[in-house]
């Protein structure tokens, strides 16, 4: 019987399989490296793109913040201008009040009283004067109480005038000013009835 040696054939088959395995393993490793590098490059490009978008958004946010600051500055200026305009309007509306007030003071001062000083602080009047007698001061206070533009007279000081050649008394009284209703658009409206 002839003998057949199969060892070299098997050895060659193993070498071929080993070579094929190495080629397949090398291909798999190469494919894994390519896939990893490709994924890394793809993610890197996505990150770069997102960073560019973020930087653009940050720049736009800085622009918007400066615009918001400008708008707030303009709002503050507007509020200051509106406040000034309101003050000017109030002053414009109050301009005729002083004329009416002086006219009313002239009407309320009786004979025998001489006014030396008038001071207005807000809606309060402080009146200094010289009276020939205390009854004249009482008449003056009644006239103020009946006035359309003045109200609530309060006598603060009455003293004998030492330096006055006619004698008489120095007096100081205070009164409220009424008349112009600033809440009604500045129209002159009487706040109390003239006849009490």
């Amino acid at each position: 019987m002839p003998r057949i040696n199969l060892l070299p054939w098997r050895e060659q088959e193993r070498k071929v399989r080993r070579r094929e395995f190495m080629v397949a393993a090398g291909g798999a490793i190469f494919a894994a490296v390519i896939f990893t590098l490709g994924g890394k490059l793809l993610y890197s490009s996505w990150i770069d793109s997102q960073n560019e978008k973020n930087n653009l958004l940050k720049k736009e946010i800085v622009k918007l913040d400066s615009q918001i600051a400008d708008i707030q500055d303009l709002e503050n200026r507007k509020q200051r201008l509106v406040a000034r305009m309101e003050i000017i309007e109030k002053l414009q509306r109050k301009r005729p009040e002083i004329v009416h007030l002086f006219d009313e003071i002239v009407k309320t001062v009786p004979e025998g009283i001489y006014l030396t000083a008038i001071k207005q602080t807000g809606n309060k009047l402080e009146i200094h004067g010289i009276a020939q007698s205390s009854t004249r001061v009482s008449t003056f206070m009644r006239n103020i109480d009946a006035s359309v533009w003045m109200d609530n007279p309060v006598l603060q000081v009455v003293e004998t005038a030492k330096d006055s050649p006619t004698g008489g008394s120095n007096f100081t009284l205070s009164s409220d000013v009424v008349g112009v209703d600033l809440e009604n658009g500045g129209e002159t409206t009487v706040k109390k009835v003239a006849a009490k």
Side-chain angles (χ1 to χ4, degrees), residues 96-159:
E97 180 181 334
I98 194 71
V99 175
H100 291 293
L101 185 60
F102 275 113
D103 189 43
E104 197 67 24
I105 289 173
V106 170
K107 290 177 185 176
T108 57
V109 175
E111 283 190 36
I113 286 189
Y114 306 96
L115 300 182
T116 57
I118 300 173
K119 179 181 176 184
Q120 182 177 5
T121 307
N123 286 336
K124 283 283 189 191
L125 270 183
E126 186 175 307
I127 302 171
H128 301 272
I130 301 172
Q132 290 177 350
S133 67
S134 59
T135 57
R136 307 276 180 160
V137 176
S138 299
T139 305
F140 185 37
M141 290 178 69
R142 279 193 299 276
N143 291 346
I144 288 174
D145 204 31
S147 169
V148 174
W149 288 89
M150 294 181 289
D151 195 12
N152 299 328
V154 176
L155 186 61
Q156 294 174 347
V157 177
V158 174
E159 58 188 14

Side-chain angles (χ1 to χ4, degrees), residues 148-149 178-182 184 186-192:
V148 174
W149 288 89
V178 294
V180 173
D181 185 4
L182 295 177
N184 268 345
E187 297 175 5
T188 304
T189 53
V190 177
K191 289 187 177 177
K192 66 172 193 166

Side-chain angles (χ1 to χ4, degrees), residues 6-18:
L6 297 176
L7 286 178
W9 176 81
R10 286 183 184 157
E11 192 63 35
Q12 285 179 352
E13 190 67 33
R14 274 192 209 127
K15 284 181 182 179
V16 168
R17 283 185 190 163
R18 211 179 286 145

Side-chain angles (χ1 to χ4, degrees), residues 53-70:
K53 290 177 184 177
N54 290 347
N55 290 335
L56 179 65
L57 286 174
K58 285 177 184 175
K59 289 177 184 175
E60 292 300 320
I61 287 171
V62 168
K63 286 181 187 176
L64 288 176
D65 285 343
S66 67
Q67 289 175 353
I68 288 171
D70 291 343

